[in-house]
């Protein structure tokens, strides 16, 4: 592993996609700053990256808190220049419209849209003086389509996409790559498998095609590919899905 004098911040370093992103960039030599609501749950990620010879700083992080986001990214940048900031908070919930309370709607927006704005703005504040950097946002099918029961989630993801698009148009000419990755698929996580079981039964889960659900490592690889793009051919928005996904 060739060490780099740069950090990658992963905001929303959950057990699946976020952790795989952190591991991928750590294996490429970056120092990782990983944050999630309950920092204690990052212990297995810290152990794995450290065991492989990587460097990681992990902490509890409320991404809706402006001061916490600013401090988290500032600390990453002080360790080594912030090269990549990846916003990966999901907040995927499903409620019929009459069961979508004001509190649910506001909280989902805060988690999936407002906190993304904070992350992107604070990352840009650190990257602009150097004239380089990368800010990537995780989107979903709901970024483009409001499905039944997803009024709160889709509105937040639509909003995050708009934040990313506006930020990209402003920052690309300043050599900062801003991109939005749409994951148009169920990701192979315990939560998704449980939902599949509820909808289709245990037999469907037992006979699950391994390529039906997207492995979190594949998402991490897509982020690495975004990072490697030459600035003469940057992508703003990329959709990824398994080959058998209907769309």
């Amino acid at each position: 592993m060739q060490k780099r004098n740069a950090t990658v911040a992963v905001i929303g370093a959950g057990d699946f996609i976020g952790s795989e992103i952190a591991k991928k960039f750590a294996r490429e030599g970056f120092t990782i700053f990983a944050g999630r609501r309950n920092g204690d749950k990052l212990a297995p990620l810290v152990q794995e990256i450290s065991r492989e010879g990587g460097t990681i700083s992990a902490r509890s992080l409320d991404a809706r808190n402006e001061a916490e986001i600013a401090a988290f990214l500032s600390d990453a940048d002080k360790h080594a220049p912030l090269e990549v900031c990846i916003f990966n908070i999901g907040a995927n919930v499903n409620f019929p419209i009459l069961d979508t309370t004001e509190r649910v709607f506001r909280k989902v927006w805060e988690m999936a849209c407002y906190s993304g704005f904070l992350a992107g703005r604070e990352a840009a504040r650190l990257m602009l003086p150097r004239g380089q950097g990368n800010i990537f946002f995780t989107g979903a099918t709901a970024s483009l389509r409001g499905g039944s029961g997803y009024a709160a989630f889709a509105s937040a993801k639509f909003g995050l996409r708009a934040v990313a698009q506006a930020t990209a148009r402003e920052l690309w000419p300043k050599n900062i790559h801003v991109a939005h990755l749409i994951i148009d698929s169920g990701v192979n996580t315990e939560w998704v498998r449980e939902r599949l079981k509820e909808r289709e039964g245990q037999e469907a889960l037992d006979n699950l095609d391994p390529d039906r659900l997207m492995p979190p490592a594949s998402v991490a690889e897509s982020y690495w590919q975004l990072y490697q793009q030459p600035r003469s051919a940057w992508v703003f928005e990329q959709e990824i899905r398994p080959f058998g996904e209907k769309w």
Side-chain angles (χ1 to χ4, degrees):
M1 180 191 300
Q2 183 178 355
K3 294 286 188 177
R4 304 172 188 252
N5 183 36
T7 60
V8 172
V10 182
I11 297 169
D15 296 334
F16 299 99
I17 293 176
S19 288
E20 289 297 331
I21 293 169
K23 287 186 283 187
K24 173 62 180 177
F25 279 87
R27 288 165 184 153
E28 297 294 341
F30 292 93
T31 294
I32 304 300
F33 269 64
R36 64 183 292 179
R37 277 179 292 179
N38 185 343
D40 291 340
K41 292 183 178 180
L42 288 166
L45 177 64
V46 171
Q47 292 172 3
E48 184 169 354
I49 288 178
S50 299
R51 186 169 59 247
E52 294 182 358
T55 304
I56 179 172
S57 175
R59 67 176 70 173
S60 295
L61 176 66
D62 182 353
R64 300 167 296 174
N65 185 299
E66 183 178 28
E68 286 192 32
I69 281 286
F72 176 74
L73 293 177
S74 178
D75 288 348
D77 193 62
K78 288 174 184 175
H79 181 88
L82 181 64
E83 178 74 6
V84 186
C85 176
I86 299 176
F87 178 79
N88 183 59
I89 293 177
N92 188 344
V93 297
N94 181 284
F95 289 102
I97 190 65
L98 296 185
D99 294 335
T100 304
T101 65
E102 183 271 342
R103 180 178 180 275
V104 164
F105 191 92
R106 185 181 66 249
K107 185 176 180 180
V108 170
W109 173 78
E110 288 177 347
M111 292 173 64
C113 182
Y114 172 66
S115 56
F117 153 72
L118 292 176
R121 187 193 67 187
E122 293 306 308
R125 194 186 305 279
L126 297 165
M127 294 173 180
L128 279 169
R130 290 192 294 271
Q132 69 177 54
N134 303 267
I135 304 171
F136 300 150
F137 299 90
T138 299
T141 307
S143 302
L144 300 175
R145 184 176 72 234
S148 175
Y150 289 101
F153 182 58
S155 64
K157 283 298 186 181
F158 265 66
L160 180 68
R161 181 175 185 251
V163 168
Q165 191 175 78
T167 305
R169 287 187 163 127
E170 181 177 344
L171 297 185
W172 275 32
K174 299 175 182 178
N175 200 36
I176 296 175
H177 187 188
V178 180
H180 182 243
L181 184 69
I182 294 177
I183 303 173
D184 184 30
S185 166
V187 177
N188 198 348
T189 67
E190 292 179 11
W191 182 75
V192 170
R193 288 194 298 270
E194 190 60 34
R195 289 185 62 197
L196 180 65
K197 178 182 175 180
E198 291 173 1
R199 290 197 312 266
E200 302 180 24
Q202 182 64 45
E203 184 176 355
L205 200 59
D206 293 339
N207 299 316
L208 183 65
D209 183 328
D211 292 320
R212 177 177 175 182
L213 299 178
M214 185 179 293
S218 296
V219 181
E221 185 62 35
S222 293
Y223 272 121
W224 177 246
Q225 292 168 5
L226 278 176
Y227 171 71
Q228 290 186 300
Q229 288 176 344
R231 65 179 185 173
S232 58
W234 275 350
V235 164
F236 163 66
E237 190 160 75
Q238 182 169 322
E239 297 180 42
I240 58 174
R241 59 182 64 84
F243 73 98
E245 183 78 13
K246 294 180 181 179
W247 60 291

